[in-house]
Amino acid sequence: MSGYEINIDGLVGPTHHYAGLSFGNEASTKNRSHISNPKLAARQGLAKMKALADLGLKQAVFAPQDRPHIATLRQLGFIGSDHEVITQAMKTSPQLLSNLSSASSMWTANSCTVSPSADSRDGRLHFTAANLNNKFHRSIEHTTTSRILAAMFADPQYFVHHQALPSVSMFGDEGAANHNRLGGYYDQRSVQMFVYGQQYLGTRQAPKKYPARQTLEASHAIARLHGLDEKYTVFIQQNPDVIDQGVFHNDVIAVSNQQVLFHHQHAFLDQQQALQQLREKMLLLNEDLIAIEVPANRVSVQDAVQTYLFNSQILTRSNGKMTIVVPEEARNHSAVWSYLNDMISMGYPIDEIKVFDLRESMQNGGGPACLRLRVAVNQQELQAMNPAILLTDTLFHILNQWVDQYYRDRLSQQDLADPQLLLESRTALDELTKILNLGSVYQFQQ
């Protein structure tokens, strides 16, 4: 194996709660107002990270953001001490406070788009923080996201950080959840596949019920910023009909790893033409596309949304074979589980299934792949990144102790006004910056 793929999973934050903030994400809205368990959610995520690290894969940790976000509440006219600001917000608009307390940054797949150095014109690894402008509670994340990324990948000789795109509808950007990279070795040139939901300039075929969060214009802008060669870049439109069925991101209907694209029969608009375009571009790299298309008569779109089958992780083991990581919900669904077991007997590179209980994050609308960001690096880039974020047995033990010390095992929306919660969260994040060597990424205001 040449090069490495680092899976960087988002730590669930201390204010993890079910507010149903994500219109178009049916799991999120269905579980609105349920009581959450932040401690369990964080521990479930850490357990997945540890299991993958134990397979010999490169696994890292992405820090959560500070919530409630007092700076935005002040910007919206709430005054006084931090505790007074929170109290006023709860009295005036509990839903606003809920938005600004969301732990949604745990969905690290939405943090940014990454282009490895092998694909970029200047030979450096590029990051663009996602503006996430479709949802207010997520649109405030990108500033801190950029600071965290810069603390993780700091050396300008190897890493380039771009600010988020303009926060307007035309440039709606949801990050790596709508981006795939298809090729061979991780440190060699590959085909970058951008999946968008709507084009604003020109043809405007779009979903009717739910919003198309990623635009073609945003995808084009990121490709330019990252210096990608158009010969190895493809832009494919997501099927508007499946967006209207709750497929809010591409990673709810398709996922890739190296030469493999695992996708639903109805994932893309003009699907056969799109797949042919991918095949032709991969042939330029002397690579064959292995398209595993799941037929609708085996797994419906609704089955996929319910179980997050495609929000799985496909990982290459040291022997070159691949493992698919799925949530417990996939095993509990007879049609989905039947298909998965049939698939691994068909001779594809994927020959192993691993199942994880991620119920706390699943109920808030995200599965295994929502929690992770993929970063392909060469040996020099691996050495240049912040080593404190890489998961080891020691770090796993420290982070579990950290969660046990600072996290609650029960949280409702009413609890967001508790001044003690703010203190607990800030104390936890202060300690985490030391554990992960992140410096001053949080800018608390008093």
Side-chain angles (χ1 to χ4, degrees), residues 285-317:
L285 302 171
N286 296 314
E287 297 284 355
D288 291 323
L289 174 68
I290 302 173
I292 306 176
E293 183 172 289
V294 181
N297 63 4
R298 293 293 307 273
V299 177
S300 69
V301 171
Q302 282 307 305
D303 291 341
V305 171
Q306 180 184 340
T307 63
Y308 274 38
L309 167 62
F310 297 97
N311 195 248
S312 55
Q313 295 177 240
I314 304 175
L315 307 165
T316 302
R317 307 192 303 276

Side-chain angles (χ1 to χ4, degrees), residues 112-125:
C112 64
T113 304
V114 184
S115 291
S117 56
D119 302 342
S120 63
R121 187 180 301 113
D122 64 1
R124 293 187 292 172
L125 203 159

Side-chain angles (χ1 to χ4, degrees), residues 407-440:
Y407 279 52
R408 300 185 180 191
D409 58 13
R410 185 185 190 280
L411 196 69
S412 68
Q413 289 193 54
Q414 289 298 109
D415 294 327
L416 300 177
D418 181 359
Q420 189 63 29
L421 179 64
L422 177 65
L423 179 61
E424 292 167 7
S425 299
R426 287 182 168 178
T427 305
L429 294 181
D430 276 339
E431 180 64 23
L432 187 64
T433 59
K434 301 180 182 71
I435 295 171
L436 300 181
N437 191 26
L438 296 177
S440 303

